[in-house]
Amino acid sequence: MPTINDVARAAGVSPSTVSYVLSGRRPISAQTRERVQAAIAELGFHPHAGARALASSKTNVLALVAPLRLDVNVPVIMQFATAVVTASRTHNHDVLLLTKDEGTAGLERVANSTMVDALILMDVEREDVRLPALRRLKQPSVLIGLPNDPLGIACVDLDFAAAAGEALRHLAWHGHRKIALVGPSPAVYRRGTTYAERFLTGFTEASESLGLRTLAHPCEPDVEGVRACLDDIDAQLPGATALVVHNEESLRPLLDLLRARGKRVPEDISIVAICPRDVAINMPLPLTSVDIPAHDVGGLAVETAMRLLDGRSIESVRLLPPTLVERESCSPPR
Amino acid sequence: MPTINDVARAAGVSPSTVSYVLSGRRPISAQTRERVQAAIAELGFHPHAGARALASSKTNVLALVAPLRLDVNVPVIMQFATAVVTASRTHNHDVLLLTKDEGTAGLERVANSTMVDALILMDVEREDVRLPALRRLKQPSVLIGLPNDPLGIACVDLDFAAAAGEALRHLAWHGHRKIALVGPSPAVYRRGTTYAERFLTGFTEASESLGLRTLAHPCEPDVEGVRACLDDIDAQLPGATALVVHNEESLRPLLDLLRARGKRVPEDISIVAICPRDVAINMPLPLTSVDIPAHDVGGLAVETAMRLLDGRSIESVRLLPPTLVERESCSPPR
DNA sequence: TTGAAAGCGATACCAA
DNA sequence: TTGGTATCGCTTTCAA
């Protein structure tokens, strides 16, 4: 492998000149630049990442901490990861993938050994034990999610409270007054990722301000769970004409069950789902939905990290406004 | 951040001694070791990854190239990734995540700039254009999958041909003679990942050697696709008493449809699925299945990379034997 | 506009 | 069993 010195020699310049051609941090005459670039191309020179990191104190690598369990919503996780990797590349950074189960130790390891310039964490919990450690690192971090006390750490996420508002407003506009929320499983609430409660809070508040009769019910994402959930809703909010479904995995069994019970969507019951676009589209009936914009959120996380790295200003908490897209699962109640 | 020199000074030894305490590549007296370790702990010393890489020509990082599209089987991809990261950590390596869409350029970038010691690639195609580039790299690579000409590159995967054999043998043992294969979508065959054809080949061969009447049919993984597939099977192999389903996403719609048509599983029709364990288990009816052992395959890929890195011998192609687990979807035909 | 040279922080060879 | 030190390949300051 040729080094910068080989290139310098071949081009008849000094190593520093080669470095400056590469980095553009100094004006170089067109002539010299061309000679250097020719030499680089000819020799097939590629700067050594480790040497660079050592000399410049920059790795051009971001750490991405993902929950690699299967009990969370895998496709959404994957979308975040894709977005983070893609966005990182546009900023000339690579991504080191860590699993959440390495916990605090993993973060400290990669940060303290200077493997990464910044960290991005997914699946952040209410009282996330990793936050104190993050605050101690010399690298900045960005959370995808919103813990109770984000002090000193940048956070980005969808505005789930507003998402609930959007969903209810849309249904209310159609004339629905009795609306039930099919929420995530109790396990999700217990686990302490705050998006579930933020959604619930938004749901409750919007319900009041819109003067609706509503019921919120958690739901296990299998056939039995959905059945139980629907039964409870029938019992506790009889005559409900619409559902807000904040539980991606429940959608299919839910639709199946409604069909089995002879309830047509949207004629007999309207549905607004909170889920990624492609999920909403690929249901038997295209669902009106509030998008979970994993791609945008991931991109924003990277953008935020970049700003942090070059000292630009950031908003410490950035919640993306939700977008509701009408499809075919909502109509006025009969 | 303290350096190795700080530690050396604090412990009253030379930097090289600290290095040897860290690496264990030289005998150190218990006394010295303790002094050094105390100094390390006290100062909170962490070796600088870049400096290490520069001096040792080892990064302790593996590249993992994943297809981060959503048109492939996302949960399985995720399982591979999890397995690779986890296994890497047990070998004291980290994982740099690349997307397949960066193509050959991405591989060359991270390899030539010495960001990684080895590469692991998923979603390898029959005539994968990346292979020639891989052969030119100074780092070794391991493929998850099996291209046409793997010459010089290590490959690991499930033995899909044997998996088909297992499935058919199990059904034949139950007494089935007319068996249809619900295969992946035509797009999968077209795309050129070879697992589909390897399975098909195994299916055909086992069918002959067992003297069965079989039909293989691709299947789009939505309701309409499954309906069309079942109709074709009814027409072309009337009286089939069992299905082998090598199409994870089709499983649910398939089961739904069979139920809708009044066909009970396994009383009226037996099913063997080829899919990850958890998918088979979480169906309405626990399915007898041949496991896709993503975790093992991922672990084996890392293991192979490690052997390659320290010059131990490897088998250039390693296909894991399939395991069939009996659950509740098979019985003798009526 | 360019060059010279001092680091960056480890490893590992050569000595003792 | 330990120490001294050249070396890895680049960046960046200081000088010209």
Side-chain angles (χ1 to χ4, degrees):
Chain A
M1 294 263 96
T3 73
I4 201 172
N5 292 294
D6 301 326
V7 175
R9 207 171 307 125
V13 299
S14 76
S16 56
T17 296
V18 177
S19 177
Y20 285 118
V21 167
L22 250 24
S23 69
R25 304 168 78 85
R26 174 196 251 191
I28 302 277
S29 73
Q31 206 193 28
T32 315
R33 192 197 346 270
E34 277 161 31
R35 286 229 309 288
V36 169
Q37 278 163 346
I40 288 176
E42 179 171 8
L43 298 180
F45 166 72
H46 297 271
H48 187 291
R52 266 196 153 155
L54 181 55
S56 68
S57 307
K58 283 190 197 326
T59 63
N60 275 40
V61 175
L62 301 182
L64 173 63
V65 188
L68 296 188
R69 304 165 302 186
L70 294 166
D71 61 333
V72 291
N73 197 327
V74 177
V76 174
I77 298 294
M78 197 79 168
Q79 285 186 34
F80 278 124
T82 315
V84 168
V85 173
T86 308
S88 293
R89 288 303 309 136
T90 73
H91 292 276
N92 199 27
H93 279 245
D94 276 286
V95 172
L96 199 72
L97 181 62
L98 303 184
T99 62
K100 192 186 177 191
D101 60 80
E102 262 204 272
T104 299
L107 308 177
E108 290 173 334
R109 183 172 54 77
V110 298
N112 291 330
S113 65
T114 325
M115 299 183 76
V116 301
D117 294 334
L119 302 91
I120 296 178
L121 285 76
M122 320 179 39
D123 197 38
V124 175
E125 297 169 19
R126 193 163 33 230
E127 304 286 349
D128 205 299
V129 295
R130 298 170 296 180
L131 297 197
L134 288 180
R135 296 201 177 89
R136 265 180 249 121
L137 301 180
K138 67 170 192 291
Q139 291 93 337
S141 26
V142 178
L143 309 182
I144 295 180
L146 188 54
N148 270 357
D149 177 17
L151 185 66
I153 302 184
C155 301
V156 303
D157 205 351
L158 172 65
D159 188 338
F160 278 93
E166 281 295 295
L168 280 185
R169 208 166 358 265
H170 183 73
L171 289 168
W173 174 82
H174 268 304
H176 295 273
R177 318 303 303 164
K178 278 187 164 182
I179 304 173
L181 166 63
V182 176
S185 73
V188 170
Y189 290 104
R190 241 180 287 123
R191 187 149 52 80
T193 34
T194 59
Y195 72 90
E197 20 190 287
R198 283 183 279 141
F199 190 89
L200 187 52
T201 305
F203 184 84
T204 311
E205 288 177 2
S207 165
E208 284 178 18
S209 78
L210 293 167
L212 303 173
R213 299 213 33 210
T214 58
L215 170 70
H217 202 289
C219 180
E220 298 288 355
D222 52 24
V223 185
E224 286 70 37
V226 172
R227 193 191 314 281
C229 179
L230 285 187
D231 288 345
D232 282 356
I233 289 173
D234 275 347
Q236 295 169 35
L237 188 71
T241 59
L243 299 176
V244 173
V245 184
H246 184 208
N247 186 328
E248 196 180 318
E249 288 145 299
S250 289
L251 279 172
R252 247 183 212 286
L254 179 70
L255 292 177
D256 290 348
L257 202 56
L258 289 174
R259 188 159 37 86
R261 292 183 173 186
K263 296 224 187 188
R264 293 161 304 164
V265 179
E267 292 82 354
D268 302 315
I269 190 155
S270 289
I271 292 182
V272 175
I274 319 299
C275 66
R277 231 183 70 87
D278 58 292
V279 172
I281 289 176
N282 286 314
M283 287 291 149
L285 177 81
L287 300 181
T288 294
S289 74
V290 178
D291 190 21
I292 296 185
H295 196 82
D296 297 345
V297 174
L300 182 57
V302 172
E303 190 65 42
T304 305
M306 292 303 148
R307 299 188 74 98
L308 249 12
L309 285 178
D310 41 49
R312 283 133 77 206
S313 68
I314 61 150
E315 296 172 78
S316 70
V317 174
R318 183 93 182 274
L319 298 181
L320 291 183
T323 315
L324 183 144
V325 176
E326 286 204 59
R327 296 198 185 87
E328 303 172 22
S329 62
C330 290
S331 68
R334 296 194 305 164
Chain B
M1 294 263 96
T3 74
I4 201 173
N5 292 294
D6 300 326
V7 174
R9 207 171 306 125
V13 300
S14 77
S16 56
T17 298
V18 177
S19 177
Y20 286 118
V21 167
L22 250 25
S23 69
R25 305 168 78 87
R26 173 196 253 191
I28 302 279
S29 74
Q31 207 192 26
T32 316
R33 191 196 348 270
E34 277 161 31
R35 285 228 310 288
V36 169
Q37 279 163 346
I40 288 175
E42 180 171 5
L43 298 180
F45 166 73
H46 298 270
H48 186 289
R52 268 196 150 155
L54 181 56
S56 68
S57 307
K58 282 188 198 327
T59 62
N60 276 41
V61 176
L62 301 181
L64 173 64
V65 188
L68 295 188
R69 303 164 304 185
L70 294 165
D71 61 334
V72 290
N73 197 327
V74 178
V76 173
I77 298 295
M78 197 80 168
Q79 285 185 36
F80 278 123
T82 315
V84 168
V85 173
T86 308
S88 293
R89 289 302 309 137
T90 72
H91 292 275
N92 197 28
H93 279 245
D94 276 285
V95 171
L96 199 72
L97 181 62
L98 304 184
T99 62
K100 192 186 178 191
D101 58 82
E102 262 205 271
T104 299
L107 308 176
E108 290 175 333
R109 183 171 53 78
V110 299
N112 291 331
S113 65
T114 327
M115 298 183 76
V116 302
D117 294 335
L119 302 92
I120 296 178
L121 285 76
M122 320 177 40
D123 196 37
V124 175
E125 298 170 18
R126 192 165 32 230
E127 304 286 349
D128 205 300
V129 295
R130 299 169 296 181
L131 296 197
L134 288 179
R135 295 201 178 91
R136 264 178 249 123
L137 300 180
K138 66 172 194 288
Q139 292 93 338
S141 27
V142 178
L143 310 182
I144 297 180
L146 188 53
N148 269 357
D149 177 17
L151 185 66
I153 302 184
C155 303
V156 302
D157 204 351
L158 172 65
D159 188 337
F160 278 93
E166 281 295 294
L168 281 185
R169 209 167 355 266
H170 183 72
L171 289 168
W173 173 83
H174 267 304
H176 295 272
R177 316 305 301 164
K178 277 188 166 182
I179 305 174
L181 166 62
V182 177
S185 72
V188 170
Y189 290 103
R190 242 179 287 124
R191 186 148 53 80
T193 35
T194 59
Y195 71 91
E197 21 189 287
R198 283 184 277 142
F199 190 88
L200 187 52
T201 304
F203 185 83
T204 309
E205 288 177 3
S207 166
E208 285 178 19
S209 78
L210 292 167
L212 303 175
R213 297 213 35 209
T214 59
L215 169 71
H217 201 289
C219 181
E220 298 288 353
D222 51 25
V223 185
E224 287 70 36
V226 171
R227 191 190 317 278
C229 180
L230 285 188
D231 288 344
D232 281 357
I233 291 173
D234 274 347
Q236 297 169 32
L237 190 71
T241 59
L243 300 175
V244 173
V245 184
H246 183 208
N247 186 329
E248 196 180 319
E249 288 145 299
S250 289
L251 279 171
R252 248 184 212 286
L254 178 70
L255 292 177
D256 290 348
L257 202 57
L258 289 174
R259 188 160 36 86
R261 294 184 172 185
K263 296 223 186 187
R264 293 161 305 163
V265 177
E267 292 82 353
D268 301 315
I269 191 153
S270 289
I271 292 182
V272 175
I274 318 300
C275 65
R277 231 184 69 88
D278 58 292
V279 171
I281 290 176
N282 286 314
M283 288 289 149
L285 177 82
L287 301 180
T288 293
S289 73
V290 178
D291 190 21
I292 296 186
H295 196 83
D296 297 346
V297 174
L300 181 58
V302 171
E303 190 64 43
T304 306
M306 292 302 148
R307 298 188 75 99
L308 249 11
L309 285 178
D310 42 49
R312 282 134 74 206
S313 68
I314 60 150
E315 296 173 77
S316 71
V317 174
R318 183 92 181 276
L319 298 180
L320 292 184
T323 317
L324 182 144
V325 177
E326 286 204 60
R327 297 201 182 86
E328 303 172 22
S329 61
C330 290
S331 69
R334 298 193 306 166

